[in-house]
């Protein structure tokens, strides 16, 4: 009976995978959950490509994303964007990205991102790019990023557009 049950649940699981949207998956390693994994498609010969994801720490201790690696590019770094002396710059983060206990940190356009430096092949919309993420406490996990169109705001553009932030604020902006 146990065997029959596990076979059945296996079939159901396969069905679930087949029915899941192509552009969403989530990854768990230890207390860390990763969602919204995506990268931007690149034109041929682009010198770099950006990768983005959201990390939630369900644990009671802080953790840290210390590295990202991939065979898809000559070099992979974790970058942050900052405004310094009025200029937007990006540079490798020192020591990784802290993920507070119970907290969520988004690597998103304009902030932290994974930088694929000198991609070995263009990132093609609809494809995937493999990446290994290493956390200080949770360890390493192999996963992939969904490649969205060039210039894409990400899998959840509505969340970034501030629709949840209240209508007053939006009306004020529109009047300016
Ligand atoms: Cu960068």
């Amino acid at each position: 009976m146990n065997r029959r049950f596990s076979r059945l649940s296996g079939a159901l699981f396969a069905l679930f995978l087949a029915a899941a949207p192509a552009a969403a998956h989530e990854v768990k390693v230890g207390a860390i959950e990763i969602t919204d994994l995506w990268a931007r498609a690149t034109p041929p010969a682009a010198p770099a490509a950006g990768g983005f994801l959201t990390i939630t720490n369900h644990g009671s201790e802080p953790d840290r994303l210390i590295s990202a690696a991939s065979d898809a590019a000559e070099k992979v770094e974790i970058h942050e964007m900052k405004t310094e002396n009025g200029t937007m710059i990006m540079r490798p983060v020192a020591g990784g990205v802290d993920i507070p206990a119970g907290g969520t940190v988004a690597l998103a356009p304009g902030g932290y991102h994974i930088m694929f430096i000198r991609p070995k092949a263009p990132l093609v919309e609809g494809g995937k790019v493999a990446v290994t993420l290493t956390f200080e406490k949770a360890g390493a996990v192999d996963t992939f990023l969904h490649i969205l169109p060039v210039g894409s705001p990400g899998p959840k553009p509505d969340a970034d557009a501030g629709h949840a932030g209240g209508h007053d604020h939006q009306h004020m902006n529109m009047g300016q």
Side-chain angles (χ1 to χ4, degrees), residues 48-50 77-81 90-92 111 113-117:
E77 295 178 344
I78 302 169
H79 281 186
E80 60 183 333
M81 288 190 94
M90 67 177 178
R91 62 183 174 205
H113 55 278
I114 295 168
M115 189 105 280
F116 297 90
I117 299 165

Side-chain angles (χ1 to χ4, degrees), residues 123-145:
L123 271 53
V124 178
E125 178 182 345
K128 294 170 184 172
V129 53
V131 65
T132 301
L133 305 169
T134 302
F135 295 87
E136 193 173 68
K137 294 197 178 99
V141 60
D142 293 327
T143 185
F144 60 88
L145 312 180

